[in-house]
Amino acid sequence: MKMLNKKGENKMEYFKHEKLKEHLYRIIDITGVCCYLVVGQEKACLLDTCGGIGNIREYIEKITNKPIVVVLTHGHLDHIGGASLFEEVYMPHEDMPVLKMHNDFEFRVKDTLKHDPTGKVTREDFTPDITGEIKNIKDNDTIDLGGVTIKMIQVKGHTPGIICPLINEDRAIIFGDACGVGVLLFDEYSSNVSEYRESLIHLKTYESLYDTIYRNHGTFFSEKVLLDNVIECCENILAGNDARQEVETHGYKLYSANKIENHKRVDGKEGNILYSPDKVK
C-alpha cells in the first residue's frame, strides 16, 4: 500500500502480502515483521498487527471486505502496534502487564526506530496507543469465521500468556514468537526454562493437527522438527549441557543454548533459546 504525502506523491510502501493457503495470508510490514490474516465465509481474523507503522486496517480492507476481529498472540510492541485501528480485539489477559509497557507510544517509537532496517520510518508513521477494550482469550478457545476455525493453544514462556493459533481447515499453525529459531526467555515476564518446557510438551499434543508452521520473523517458516529441537534445548539447558554462548540482544546479556554465528546455529539445525541465567530452574 502506498501512502501519499501532502504533494500527492508516493511516500512509502508500508505493507505487502502473499497468499499462503486457501484461507491464509501473510502481511509483511516495512521493517520485515509479519502477521497473518485468516478469511472465512462470514468474517476475517487478523492474527497480530505488526508494529503499528502505517494503517494496517486500510491495507487489510483491500484484501477482504469481511468484518475483522483481531487476536494478539502476546503483548510485545511488534505484534500489538496496529491494534488501536480495530474495534474487536482479543489477547490473553496474562499478557496485560506486558502490553501496558509496550503500548506506550514513546516506548514503541524509540524501540522501533532503534532497530528500523530501512532508516525511513518516522514517529509520524506510527498509529496511536490502544485505548479500547481488549477481550480475554484462553487456551483451547476457538474462533469460528464461517467455514474456518482457529483454535488458540497457550504456550507460556516468551511471555506469560502467549498463544499459537491453529487454523484447523488449513492444517497450519502460527508458532510466532512462542517457539522458534531464537526464543527469548529474558525479562521479568518470561517463564523459566522448566515451565517453558512444559508449555512445549503441551503444544506437542496438537502436532497431528497441523502440517505447516509459520513464524513472525526471519524466514517466517519452519519444518515440524523445530518443536522437538526447542524441547531438546530446554533439556540441555536444565542438564547443564548447553553451549552457554554469551550473546547480547535488545540490551540484555543472555546465553545461547546452541553455538550461533550470524543468528544461525553452527550445527545447521533450527531451533534455539536465548536465556537469562536466572531462568535456569
Side-chain angles (χ1 to χ4, degrees), residues 66-84:
K66 302 287 198 311
I68 302 167
V69 57
V70 168
V71 173
L72 303 173
T73 61
H74 64 294
H76 284 154
L77 60 89
D78 51 339
H79 298 259
I80 62 104
S84 64

Side-chain angles (χ1 to χ4, degrees), residues 51-71:
I53 302 166
N55 192 319
I56 194 168
R57 179 168 184 161
E58 287 184 358
Y59 189 83
I60 296 300
E61 288 174 346
K62 294 181 182 297
I63 300 173
T64 179
N65 59 4
K66 302 287 198 311
I68 302 167
V69 57
V70 168
V71 173

Side-chain angles (χ1 to χ4, degrees), residues 6 9 29 72 78-79 88 106 133 147 161 170 218 234 269 275-276:
K6 293 180 180 179
E9 300 168 334
D29 80 359
L72 303 173
D78 51 339
H79 298 259
E88 188 175 0
E106 294 300 330
E133 178 188 8
D170 285 341
C234 290
K269 294 182 179 181
Y275 64 95
S276 172

Side-chain angles (χ1 to χ4, degrees), residues 32-212:
V33 173
C34 84
C35 61
Y36 294 88
L37 175 69
V38 187
V39 181
Q41 296 170 2
E42 298 173 5
K43 54 186 176 180
C45 180
L46 184 61
L47 301 169
D48 289 334
T49 60
C50 296
I53 302 166
N55 192 319
I56 194 168
R57 179 168 184 161
E58 287 184 358
Y59 189 83
I60 296 300
E61 288 174 346
K62 294 181 182 297
I63 300 173
T64 179
N65 59 4
K66 302 287 198 311
I68 302 167
V69 57
V70 168
V71 173
L72 303 173
T73 61
H74 64 294
H76 284 154
L77 60 89
D78 51 339
H79 298 259
I80 62 104
S84 64
L85 302 175
F86 300 88
E87 290 78 33
E88 188 175 0
V89 180
Y90 294 83
M91 187 189 73
H93 275 187
E94 293 97 324
D95 258 45
M96 290 300 286
V98 182
L99 181 136
K100 183 177 180 180
M101 178 174 72
H102 284 249
N103 187 42
D104 178 76
F105 185 83
E106 294 300 330
F107 179 86
R108 290 191 291 123
V109 170
K110 181 179 179 181
D111 189 86
T112 304
L113 295 185
K114 184 167 58 177
H115 300 101
D116 171 26
T118 71
K120 297 178 180 179
V121 178
T122 69
R123 62 184 294 114
E124 288 73 27
D125 295 309
F126 286 81
T127 57
D129 296 347
I130 304 167
T131 57
E133 178 188 8
I134 296 178
K135 300 177 182 179
N136 193 22
I137 196 161
K138 304 182 296 298
D139 187 40
N140 278 320
D141 280 355
T142 297
I143 292 181
D144 188 346
L145 304 176
V148 187
T149 55
I150 309 173
K151 179 183 284 290
M152 308 302 163
I153 304 168
Q154 196 160 50
V155 187
K156 299 180 180 183
H158 180 57
T159 65
I162 188 169
I163 50 175
C164 294
L166 171 65
I167 301 97
N168 292 300
E169 289 71 20
D170 285 341
R171 292 188 57 83
I173 191 167
I174 314 300
F175 273 15
D177 290 3
C179 179
V181 301
V183 180
L184 295 175
L185 302 180
F186 64 129
D187 63 11
E188 66 268 32
Y189 303 112
S190 300
S191 301
N192 63 46
V193 177
S194 295
E195 293 166 342
Y196 181 47
R197 179 180 176 275
E198 292 303 311
S199 294
L200 295 177
I201 291 171
H202 171 62
L203 176 59
K204 192 168 175 63
T205 64
Y206 296 89
E207 201 169 37
S208 64
L209 302 180
Y210 61 85
D211 302 314
T212 311

